Amino acid sequence: MSEKNFAVFRLQKIKSKSGANQVLRHMYRYSSCDHLMYPGNKNYDLMPPLPDGEKRSFYRSFDDLVGDQTIRKNAVIALECVFSGTHDLMHSEDFDLQKWAKKTMEWCSNSFGGKNNIVGAVLHRDETTYHIHALVVPINPETKKLNARGFVGGRAKLSILQDTYAECVSELGLNRGISKKISKKDHVAYQQYVNEKAREQLEKEEVARLTDEILKKEEYIEGSYLFTDIEL
């Protein structure tokens, strides 16, 4: 296992309102969750509070954002983002969970068209490893049109998102796994190349383990509002 502490960012595309609303219901524990390891731990809503008794609804939020624009039948209408990191670091006494949550939400807002595009965000503390779920409607802030491809279309954009998120939280001790940019064609010495590939595999396994741990038994459909403070 690598000695590094990893930043984890996972993204899922969602193509139906019912699927997105199901994710939102899971995020806010409106529906039952049998796999919770620590059901007594408090989760934190990272969005502005709603009026008493009102629950978050993807249908309402989506219609408010999209308006009457025509939506392509197979369009990606929402992005589910999961943020986390190496368990031991995030659960240590020295880790600043509040700062991590705030920096993560700032990055999410900056990366996906602004705070108004985020329709739900929760810090989960009732599962094995602390993590944030955020649900985003990919509206282009300039054209006001739904355009997921503009944010996550192609490997290059996804890689940039991984890079920039890791950079955002690096001061907290969370690092980016090795990207796939290293190869023999880059004129790296052969032994260094072999060592880098071995380390890359270890890091991939660690990131995969962390992600599986976070998403254990959760079902996904294919596919902060910016706050000034978080009271944890």
Side-chain angles (χ1 to χ4, degrees):
M1 182 182 296
S2 170
E3 294 180 356
K4 268 192 174 183
N5 293 310
F6 294 104
V8 172
F9 165 53
R10 186 177 188 272
L11 181 145
Q12 289 286 333
K13 300 174 183 178
I14 304 175
K15 294 186 177 182
S16 71
K17 290 184 181 180
S18 61
N21 199 60
Q22 181 181 347
V23 169
L24 199 66
R25 287 180 58 81
H26 168 78
M27 287 168 52
Y28 283 93
R29 305 302 192 232
Y30 295 155
S31 53
S32 61
C33 298
D34 297 332
H35 65 280
L36 301 181
M37 295 294 293
Y38 308 102
N41 283 4
K42 184 179 179 181
N43 296 329
Y44 293 92
D45 187 354
L46 304 180
M47 302 287 288
L50 292 174
D52 289 345
E54 185 174 326
K55 292 185 177 181
R56 300 196 186 278
S57 165
F58 179 80
Y59 298 101
R60 181 176 59 248
S61 298
F62 182 80
D63 291 344
D64 289 344
L65 283 169
V66 174
D68 59 358
Q69 66 179 276
T70 301
I71 306 300
R72 195 176 69 252
K73 185 176 181 180
N74 66 337
V76 174
I77 65 168
L79 303 171
E80 180 188 12
C81 302
V82 179
F83 306 93
S84 190
T86 299
H87 176 92
D88 289 347
L89 176 64
M90 296 194 69
H91 288 252
S92 67
E93 293 183 359
D94 295 333
F95 189 75
D96 192 337
L97 189 64
Q98 180 171 340
K99 185 174 183 179
W100 169 75
K102 184 169 184 176
K103 291 183 73 67
T104 294
M105 292 307 297
E106 288 174 344
W107 178 89
C108 192
S109 174
N110 293 334
S111 300
F112 294 112
K115 61 184 181 180
N116 290 332
N117 285 357
I118 304 174
V119 299
V122 181
L123 170 60
H124 283 169
R125 299 172 63 251
D126 56 4
E127 296 179 63
T128 304
T129 301
Y130 297 152
H131 59 280
I132 290 173
H133 277 284
L135 191 63
V136 176
V137 177
I139 298 288
N140 183 305
E142 297 181 0
T143 65
K144 308 302 181 184
K145 299 294 184 181
L146 192 68
N147 183 15
R149 185 180 297 274
F151 295 105
V152 297
R155 291 185 178 181
K157 289 180 180 178
L158 292 173
S159 181
I160 290 172
L161 289 173
Q162 294 283 355
D163 290 342
T164 57
Y165 178 62
E167 182 179 354
C168 173
V169 296
S170 61
E171 67 178 272
L172 297 169
L174 295 168
N175 302 285
R176 168 79 153 99
I178 296 177
S179 69
K180 297 181 179 179
K181 297 175 182 178
I182 297 177
S183 71
K184 292 179 182 178
K185 294 182 180 180
D186 295 322
H187 306 291
V188 179
Y190 178 73
Q191 190 58 50
Q192 180 181 351
Y193 171 79
V194 171
N195 292 340
E196 293 285 7
K197 293 300 288 184
R199 184 157 64 95
E200 178 182 352
Q201 183 59 37
L202 287 173
E203 293 181 350
K204 283 182 180 179
E205 292 173 359
E206 171 70 354
V207 171
R209 183 189 68 78
L210 289 168
T211 304
D212 289 343
E213 185 178 89
I214 293 165
L215 304 176
K216 186 178 180 182
K217 297 183 181 179
E218 295 183 8
E219 294 182 357
Y220 288 88
I221 298 170
E222 184 189 349
S224 17
Y225 290 97
L226 208 55
F227 46 82
T228 57
D229 197 10
I230 312 174
E231 295 296 331
L232 295 183

